[in-house]
Amino acid sequence: MTDAVQSLRHDWTLDEIKTLFDLPFNDLMFRAQTAHRAHFDPNAVQISTLLSIKTGACPEDCAYCPQSAKHDTGLERERLLPIEEVRTAAMNARQNGATRFCMGAAWRNPTDRNLDRVIEMIGVVKDLGMESCVTLGMLTREQTRKLKAAGLDYYNHNLDTSPEYYREIITTRSYQDRLDTLENLRAEDINVCCGGIVGMGETEQDRAALLQQLANLPEHPQSVPINLLVQVENTPLYGTEELDGLEFARTIAVARVMMPASVVRLSAGRAAMSEELQALCFLAGANSIFYGDTLLTTPNPDSNEDLELFAKLGITANGEQARAPGDNAVA
Ligand code: SAM
Ligand code: DTB
Ligand code: SF4
């Protein structure tokens, strides 16, 4: 039986995951490539563009995040963006070839009034013919119902790390709160974008336990962002020992093997990565990136650099042939 017809697994044990991490690097890459090729065009990478629709002054205490009000990172506190600014940003993203527009808000959870405003924004993105994604914090079942009715395509809500390491990183909301929001999304059949952050000083066992949580959810998240911590001055995690690049690539590969039919996103942290490390991550099965000069508040590689890298690697954006760097549209 090939991987393509094998059913997806939701019963991964930590020992099995550790065995994957411990494989010789080339063997792990081979496993990841085999899984990737059974489900995807190996040379196509989906691109999404991010916009922070409400920046800073977040009540949560996530130790990695520049937007927490608890850390004095010098970010300007902003109000929810006016709808016309969202339209302009989404039009630019479409012009530059992104097929999905992701909007993030520095909230613990949206109020019903704010949710209505975000729903308007989702309408704007959909009218432009793009997929919509939002990340707004915790949601009630009623709120997921409203988002479904608004035609939302994806909701991003990360588990961030292992259940064991979680308490070192966030104290203002629990792991179970996150699992509950994921359940509310699944109940409404909204595509889930859920992953985590590595390079936060966690152990390999924590990275394995994060992937175990993700893969053993009742459904694999349709999209799995693997973020490398972006270290921001004055956040508690600033100065954390950096994760070895090969260990990062291994994490991507293990995610690919465990969740072979999910899109794995090489997410935050690319600005600090060499072209060679990014190429290894694509080889390990990453098939999505954030494209555009900023993530939410921190820098992302310049779009032209991404196009150059895609051209060097023969990667097509969104399944279309990447054009020459300097030529804006890639899809
Ligand atoms: N406030 C909402 C929430 O946390 O659910 C949504 C926005 S929040 C910024 C979205 C995700 O960005 C977080 O879950 C975290 O995984 C990621 N993130 C935030 N700061 C980061 C950093 N410095 N490096 C890497 N990823 C980061
Ligand atoms: C995700 O997993 N990574 C993105 C997105 N989902 C919203 C956010 C990365 C944020 C990096 C820090 C910043 O730019 O503020
Ligand atoms: Fe707030 Fe989200 Fe940042 Fe946590 S990750 S501080 S919830 S914006």
Side-chain angles (χ1 to χ4, degrees), residues 47-98:
I47 65 178
S48 298
T49 292
L50 269 173
L51 175 70
S52 179
I53 55 170
K54 190 269 165 185
T55 304
C58 182
E60 302 287 84
D61 68 354
C62 312
Y64 49 77
C65 186
Q67 303 202 67
S68 165
K70 311 264 193 302
H71 324 315
D72 185 11
T73 57
L75 261 189
E76 287 278 328
R77 173 197 187 135
E78 285 175 17
R79 289 173 173 277
L80 188 56
L81 285 187
I83 191 109
E84 283 314 314
E85 279 187 45
V86 173
R87 192 191 314 276
T88 306
M91 282 169 67
N92 284 337
R94 187 183 64 170
Q95 165 78 17
N96 289 333

Side-chain angles (χ1 to χ4, degrees), residues 290-310:
F290 285 122
Y291 177 76
D293 302 346
T294 15
L295 291 165
L296 290 173
T297 67
T298 64
N300 200 36
D302 183 80
S303 305
N304 278 333
E305 282 173 29
D306 283 342
L307 294 187
E308 264 174 41
L309 179 59
F310 278 15

Side-chain angles (χ1 to χ4, degrees), residues 64-65 105 107 135 137 157-158 160 173 197 227-230 268 296:
Y64 49 77
C65 186
W107 290 325
T135 178
H157 198 65
N158 291 335
D160 279 349
R173 83 169 78 146
I197 312 177
N227 296 276
L228 178 65
L229 174 69
V230 179
L296 290 173

